[in-house]
C-alpha cells in the first residue's frame, strides 16, 4: 500500500481513535489532524477502520460534525455499489430478524421509480414493500430505517402508538429521519454541486 503523504516526515499530527455510531459499518474511527491541511476534510476505509483527515485547527465540535458528514458520504458511496431488488429483500429479511424476531415477512421488496413524494410504501394485505429509487445512494442506515418503517407496517398498519413503539427498536431512527428531512429541505434550495469524498471545511 503506498504511503499516505500525510505520514511523511514533518510536523507530527494528532490522531484520535473512537468507536463509531451504531450501524456505521466500521469498528473504529481514527481522526488524524494535520497542520498542512487547511480547508479540506477527507476520509477512507482502512480495513475495518475509518480514517478521517482534518485540519489541525478544527475545534472538537467541528471535528465531530465533519466525522458524521464523512461517514455518511462513505456509506452513501458504498450503498451505490450494492442493493439490487434481491439484496434489498435479503436486507429486509435480516432487519426483520434483528428488530422484530422475524415476525414481519414481506412477500416482495423492491425499488420503484414512481414514488417521488414518499420514501417507501407498504401494502400489508399483499405483503409488498416498495422503496423509492431516490433512496439509492443514501447511507445504509437511512435505507435500513425506511425498510424497518415499512416492515413495522406489516405488523401494525397505521401510525398509532404501537407502531412508533415498534420503530423505537431501530437505534438510528432519529438520525435517519433527520437526514431525510435535510434532503427534503435541500431540494427546496438552489442546486449546489455534489460533494466528492474530499470536502471543504471553510
Amino acid at each position: 500500500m503506498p504511503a499516505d503523504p500525510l505520514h511523511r516526515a514533518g510536523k507530527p499530527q494528532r490522531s484520535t481513535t473512537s468507536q463509531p455510531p451504531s450501524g456505521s459499518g466500521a469498528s473504529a474511527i481514527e481522526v488524524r489532524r494535520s497542520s498542512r491541511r487547511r480547508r479540506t476534510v477527507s476520509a477512507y476505509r482502512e480495513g475495518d477502520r475509518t480514517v478521517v483527515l482534518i485540519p489541525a485547527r478544527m475545534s472538537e465540535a467541528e471535528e465531530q460534525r465533519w466525522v458524521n458528514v464523512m461517514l455518511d458520504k462513505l456509506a452513501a458511496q458504498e450503498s451505490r455499489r450494492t442493493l439490487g431488488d434481491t439484496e434489498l429483500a435479503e436486507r429486509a429479511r435480516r432487519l426483520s430478524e434483528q428488530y422484530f424476531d422475524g415476525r414481519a415477512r414481506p412477500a416482495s421488496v423492491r425499488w420503484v421509480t414512481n414514488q417521488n413524494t414518499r420514501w417507501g410504501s407498504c401494502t400489508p394485505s399483499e405483503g409488498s414493500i416498495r422503496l423509492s429509487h431516490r433512496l439509492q445512494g443514501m447511507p445504509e442506515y437511512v435505507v435500513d430505517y425506511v425498510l424497518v418503517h415499512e416492515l413495522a407496517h406489516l405488523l401494525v398498519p397505521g401510525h398509532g402508538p404501537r407502531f412508533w413503539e415498534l420503530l423505537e427498536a431501530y437505534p438510528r431512527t432519529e438520525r435517519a429521519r433527520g437526514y431525510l428531512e435535510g434532503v427534503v429541505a435541500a431540494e427546496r434550495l438552489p442546486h449546489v454541486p455534489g460533494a466528492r469524498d474530499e470536502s471543504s471545511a471553510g
Side-chain angles (χ1 to χ4, degrees), residues 52-83:
V52 182
L53 309 172
I54 66 173
R57 63 176 174 78
M58 272 195 180
S59 68
E60 294 298 323
E62 288 176 316
E63 172 184 319
Q64 188 56 55
R65 181 173 71 86
W66 278 99
V67 165
N68 287 335
V69 167
M70 301 312 289
L71 283 175
D72 281 350
K73 287 185 178 181
L74 285 175
Q77 290 167 4
E78 290 160 0
S79 181
R80 288 189 194 104
R81 303 186 198 116
T82 58
L83 295 187

Side-chain angles (χ1 to χ4, degrees), residues 90-106 148 151:
E90 174 59 23
R91 196 175 195 87
R93 186 194 65 77
R94 291 201 307 268
L95 290 168
S96 177
E97 289 287 345
Q98 185 173 357
Y99 297 111
F100 304 133
D101 297 321
R103 290 180 294 123
R105 298 188 182 94
V148 170
L151 285 166

Side-chain angles (χ1 to χ4, degrees), residues 110-121 130-136 146:
R110 59 193 175 89
W111 297 107
V112 294
T113 57
N114 61 352
Q115 287 188 168
N116 293 316
T117 59
R118 51 186 176 173
W119 300 112
S121 61
R130 298 164 299 280
L131 264 59
S132 171
H133 71 287
R134 295 185 301 147
L135 288 163
Q136 292 174 328
V146 179

Side-chain angles (χ1 to χ4, degrees), residues 29-60:
I29 300 164
E30 181 178 344
V31 177
R32 297 177 186 170
R33 290 174 174 260
S34 170
S35 58
R36 294 191 220 170
R37 187 173 282 264
R38 301 297 182 189
R39 295 173 59 85
T40 59
V41 178
S42 62
Y44 59 90
R45 303 287 195 206
E46 191 175 77
D48 62 356
R49 180 185 302 270
T50 300
V51 178
V52 182
L53 309 172
I54 66 173
R57 63 176 174 78
M58 272 195 180
S59 68
E60 294 298 323

